[in-house]
Amino acid sequence: MKNHLLLLVTATRYALIEHGRNRFAMMLVALFLPTWTTLTYLAMPDTPARVRLRATGQWLPPRGNELTGISGALNAVTLITAFLMSAATFAGSGFDRRLALAGYPPVPISSSPKSPPSPWPPRQRPPTPPQSPA
């Protein structure tokens, strides 16, 4: 089990490195997210919208533009995450195929957050012949 955990950590580390190299997604996070949140905040009126917090039973008066800004930010983060994962899946399929053909176990490949399971089974290595004494 310890070996499988090490393999999963290795595959996850490679996946996170690959996500960090996606410059377009990083630009979306740096530019689109603040712009979208600001636009949704400015486009809505700041009149209070009464919301009941069921945990305490109190009525809270958040402003409408704050609620819309939070909703817009969550929506933008969801879209960027979906783009990032689909781009990583598309770009990582070749890497997954190479890992599978090299004999890397398929469970850590499919368990890492970068892609769906590879359709290729791991390569069976031929047994090494015994070495004769020289």
Side-chain angles (χ1 to χ4, degrees), residues 5 18 22 76 78-79 102 109 134:
L5 185 61
E18 191 65 31
N22 192 340
T78 304
L79 288 172
I109 294 173

Side-chain angles (χ1 to χ4, degrees), residues 17-85:
I17 289 170
E18 191 65 31
H19 285 316
R21 290 182 183 164
N22 192 340
R23 291 183 190 151
F24 183 65
M26 294 301 129
M27 184 184 70
L28 285 175
V29 169
L31 298 176
F32 176 72
L33 189 59
T35 303
W36 181 251
T37 306
T38 303
L39 285 176
T40 57
Y41 183 83
L42 295 174
M44 295 305 290
D46 61 350
T47 57
R50 290 179 45 100
V51 177
R52 182 173 179 231
L53 182 62
R54 290 184 185 228
T56 61
Q58 293 179 334
W59 288 91
L60 303 175
R63 297 183 301 174
N65 55 0
E66 292 173 349
L67 291 175
T68 307
I70 292 169
S71 175
L74 289 173
N75 188 14
V77 167
T78 304
L79 288 172
I80 292 170
T81 303
F83 167 74
L84 188 64
M85 294 307 289

Side-chain angles (χ1 to χ4, degrees), residues 112-123:
S112 70
K114 66 179 174 180
S115 65
S118 178
W120 287 270
R123 184 179 66 166

